[in-house]
Amino acid sequence: MSIYRILLSLCMAYCLFSTNSLYAQDVNEKIRSTNNATLIGVGSSNLYDTYLSPLKYTGTSFRLMNERMRKTSWFNNNFTKQQLIDLEVTTTKNPIGNADQYSVLLGYTLGGHYNLIKTDKFRFSAGGLWNISGGVLYNQRNSNNPASARAYSNINLSAIAFYSWKNITFRGQIDAPVLGILFSPHYGQSYYEISLGNSVDVINFASLHNQIALRTYFTADIPVSKVTLRVGYLGSFYQTKIHNLQTHNYSNSIVIGLVSESVNLSGNKIKSNKIIDSSFY
């Protein structure tokens, strides 16, 4: 009987060890989900481009945004990727209200942040983002040069912080470009001339000497029944001074949208039962 008891004890110990090993393996092989948010925004806009007009035009900005964030295994699981697609459409008027100016700008941003501080309720990360943006500004009053193109690409320094309070997650993010390239015609140079080949110096190195920009983003994720609502503020400030031309595009927007966590599984991973590791919560 003693031999049976010893064998039974060994079997139970083996099963317990195997279960713990499988559990530890599952924890170490968490499936990382993607935090996906689609938002709309509306706010104020201030446009200025001396190529088109010496006046500042003010009005309304409309935005459509999609943001994705996902943890990676890079740098010992301390790096989070971020992707942002941002479409902004503005409609503005001159100071006396007798001329309209419209703008369309599409931007794509990709990069990430390295986690520096992490507690139960607070996280702080810093990193870099690459951005490329393009669009057009149209002034209905001009006849010879009614439009001005927008095109630039930058490497941005970025800092992001999260704070959890009860069921709400707050996020604050600040981005600023340090170097890049931008398109700008010369003062008085028409786009027809550029199309004929007179394009010297229309593509320029961009840094703090001719380009200053800041993007501030503050949001709160609020669970409401079976959905998560994201509300917040987005401030976008961009200005250039080059070729005797000055431009700026300032906007302050309130944004609102829905958030979801998604997991892309394929192959054998479909059959695996693992714990989701969110990049946001």
Side-chain angles (χ1 to χ4, degrees):
M1 295 295 293
S2 60
I3 295 177
Y4 292 132
R5 289 179 180 178
I6 292 174
L7 291 175
L8 180 62
S9 299
L10 290 174
C11 290
M12 293 178 64
Y14 175 78
C15 292
L16 181 61
F17 176 78
S18 299
T19 302
N20 289 337
S21 298
L22 290 173
Y23 175 76
Q25 183 179 7
D26 283 345
V27 171
N28 291 330
E29 296 181 2
K30 291 180 180 178
I31 296 176
R32 296 178 175 90
S33 63
T34 298
N35 185 272
N36 183 16
T38 301
L39 304 99
I40 58 174
V42 62
S44 63
S45 177
N46 187 313
L47 300 177
Y48 181 55
D49 189 335
T50 55
Y51 182 83
L52 297 177
S53 172
L55 303 177
K56 297 177 181 178
Y57 282 66
T58 58
T60 306
S61 168
F62 303 94
R63 288 183 179 274
L64 177 62
M65 301 168 50
N66 178 263
E67 180 186 20
R68 294 173 180 264
M69 296 184 69
R70 184 178 184 272
K71 282 184 179 180
T72 72
S73 60
W74 302 350
F75 303 105
N76 197 25
N77 300 311
N78 284 316
F79 190 83
T80 301
K81 292 197 300 185
Q82 183 181 31
Q83 173 186 280
L84 181 70
I85 300 173
D86 184 11
L87 174 64
E88 181 184 22
V89 178
T90 63
T91 173
T92 57
K93 291 183 177 294
N94 64 6
I96 60 176
N98 63 354
D100 295 323
Q101 191 165 257
Y102 306 97
S103 172
V104 177
L105 186 66
L106 177 64
Y108 176 78
T109 302
L110 179 65
H113 303 84
Y114 179 81
N115 187 66
L116 298 173
I117 301 173
K118 183 177 181 180
T119 67
D120 291 339
K121 293 187 176 182
F122 178 78
R123 283 184 293 139
F124 175 79
S125 304
L129 303 170
W130 168 71
N131 165 264
I132 183 169
S133 297
V136 63
L137 182 65
Y138 172 76
N139 190 305
Q140 69 167 183
R141 191 163 218 176
N142 293 358
S143 56
N144 293 331
N145 291 326
S148 177
R150 292 280 189 273
Y152 52 87
S153 180
N154 288 291
I155 300 297
N156 299 263
L157 295 179
S158 178
I160 187 170
F162 298 90
Y163 179 76
S164 297
W165 178 74
K166 296 184 178 181
N167 291 329
I168 303 176
T169 301
F170 297 94
R171 180 265 300 272
Q173 181 173 347
I174 298 178
D175 309 328
V178 289
L179 58 90
I181 58 174
L182 66 85
F183 168 83
S184 175
H186 292 259
Y187 182 82
Q189 181 184 24
S190 68
Y191 284 89
Y192 178 71
E193 294 178 59
I194 297 175
S195 68
L196 294 179
N198 184 16
S199 57
V200 178
D201 293 335
V202 296
I203 304 298
N204 304 268
F205 171 75
S207 190
L208 298 178
H209 66 289
N210 58 10
Q211 171 190 259
I212 298 177
L214 184 67
R215 184 177 181 273
T216 57
Y217 194 24
F218 301 97
T219 62
D221 281 23
I222 307 170
V224 180
S225 185
K226 296 182 179 181
V227 300
T228 299
L229 188 66
R230 179 170 296 176
V231 296
Y233 161 80
L234 174 62
S236 179
F237 312 98
Y238 181 82
Q239 66 180 42
T240 64
K241 187 176 182 181
I242 187 171
H243 299 330
N244 296 316
L245 294 173
Q246 295 186 45
T247 74
H248 74 225
N249 185 347
Y250 305 152
S251 64
N252 296 277
S253 302
I254 299 299
V255 296
I256 186 171
L258 296 177
V259 187
S260 63
E261 292 279 343
S262 61
V263 178
N264 295 325
L265 299 178
S266 62
N268 293 328
K269 290 184 178 180
I270 297 177
K271 300 179 180 179
S272 302
N273 184 15
K274 299 180 180 180
I275 300 173
I276 293 175
D277 188 12
S278 170
S279 66
F280 211 88
Y281 307 111

